[in-house]
Amino acid sequence: MGEIALLGLEFYGHHGVMPEEGRLGARFVVDLWLSVPFEGKGDRLEETVDYAAVYALVEEAVRHRRFYLIEALADYLAEELLRAFPRLQAVRVRVHKPHAPIPGVFRDVYAETQKSRT
């Protein structure tokens, strides 16, 4: 089994519990780790997962859907990636919210989930 990583996908979205988060929006960063069988495969796009299509799926969800919790967004992305890409055996999704409305100094907040085919 091989792993493909797409790290630091940045989008502007409107996720969060606070009304101003839905109204004003903020930057979100998504990291993905995709488990795909490499062994014995050829050198054709049809034999793997198309990174551009993965990016488009994530972009659509982060930019055009609304989630109150980044946990829910991470879970949605994992489910949708497994549904959309049959060659994908497992996925780990991390959604960062670097400008979360927390009254204090912090570097990052993220939610992470991992799912695999059953």
Side-chain angles (χ1 to χ4, degrees), residues 104-118:
V105 178
F106 66 97
R107 183 172 14 150
D108 194 13
V109 171
Y110 69 81
E112 182 175 300
T113 189
Q114 185 168 343
K115 294 185 182 257
S116 60
R117 295 200 183 278
T118 54

Side-chain angles (χ1 to χ4, degrees), residues 24-36:
L24 300 173
R27 182 174 63 98
F28 293 85
V29 181
V30 177
D31 298 327
L32 304 171
W33 293 267
L34 311 173
S35 295
V36 181

Side-chain angles (χ1 to χ4, degrees), residues 69-112:
L69 304 175
I70 58 174
E71 297 92 318
L73 174 55
D75 185 66
Y76 175 84
L77 290 172
E79 290 287 338
E80 287 299 300
L81 287 164
L82 286 170
R83 184 192 59 72
F85 301 98
R87 287 183 171 80
L88 189 58
Q89 296 302 303
V91 62
R92 182 166 50 127
V93 177
R94 182 181 292 171
V95 177
H96 301 262
K97 188 174 183 178
H99 302 292
I102 297 173
V105 178
F106 66 97
R107 183 172 14 150
D108 194 13
V109 171
Y110 69 81
E112 182 175 300

